[in-house]
Amino acid sequence: MGLLLLAPLLLAVAAWVRLDSPGPVFFRQERVGRHGRPFRIHKFRTMAHAPQAAGLALTVGADPRITRAGTWLRRTRVDELPQLIDVLQGTMSLVGPRPEVPRYVAACERLLAVRPGITDPASLAFRDEGERLARAADPEREYLEVLLPQKLRLSAEYLAQAGPLSDLGVLWRSLRVLLGR
């Protein structure tokens, strides 16, 4: 239903991404989902197109690879809307712990028992993650030793009391963030 309702917006954003810089509309990246199964997540591409490097799997601050469209898409989180495709395919749900890249999944294996989501309390609390990492001397170390443990704690707390009402609350807070309120 969300894909149908958002189709005009999704098509407009897809056109903008294509016109803004050469490359595909979607960024596809392997993530680890429920029961440790890998899947390829859908996002609007927000960076200059280049073959995926084997280096750092994090985007830090005002990364020069971020396109003009990408700056707005990341700030508003509209780049995440194509994940509704993943929800339709059954690899994600609307609410649940964010899926990690395989490189970082060992730290969060206990969350693999549930389907990952587009949003959760941790993604709301750390929506400025790129800026935080930009201020760190070693962004990957900061992620692994500081941010990831905090995100895992928030996700575990959420899962301990998750239910339809708490999911609606997370969706409501996410919508308010998307609308800038």
Side-chain angles (χ1 to χ4, degrees), residues 14-25 45-49 65-70:
W16 186 24
V17 169
R18 286 292 290 192
L19 292 171
D20 186 46
S21 65
V25 168
R45 182 176 53 82
T46 61
M47 299 179 119
H49 178 63
R65 299 171 297 166
I66 299 174
T67 63
R68 288 180 309 241

Side-chain angles (χ1 to χ4, degrees), residues 19-40:
L19 292 171
D20 186 46
S21 65
V25 168
F26 292 121
F27 168 72
R28 303 289 313 276
Q29 183 182 51
E30 185 174 289
R31 299 289 179 100
V32 179
R34 189 175 191 186
H35 305 303
R37 289 189 189 103
F39 71 99
R40 293 181 55 79

Side-chain angles (χ1 to χ4, degrees), residues 50-67:
Q52 192 164 343
L56 197 61
L58 304 168
T59 304
V60 178
D63 190 308
R65 299 171 297 166
I66 299 174
T67 63

Side-chain angles (χ1 to χ4, degrees), residues 1 5 30-32 45 53 56-57 81 83-84 97 120 158 163:
M1 183 67 128
L5 290 173
E30 185 174 289
R31 299 289 179 100
V32 179
R45 182 176 53 82
L56 197 61
L81 290 178
Q83 290 168 43
L84 290 170
D120 74 332
Y158 169 74

Side-chain angles (χ1 to χ4, degrees), residues 96-97 110-112 114-115 153-163:
R110 66 183 176 195
L111 301 178
L112 297 178
V114 297
R115 187 172 290 132
R153 179 185 52 75
L154 285 171
S155 292
E157 288 172 5
Y158 169 74
L159 289 175
Q161 52 84 40

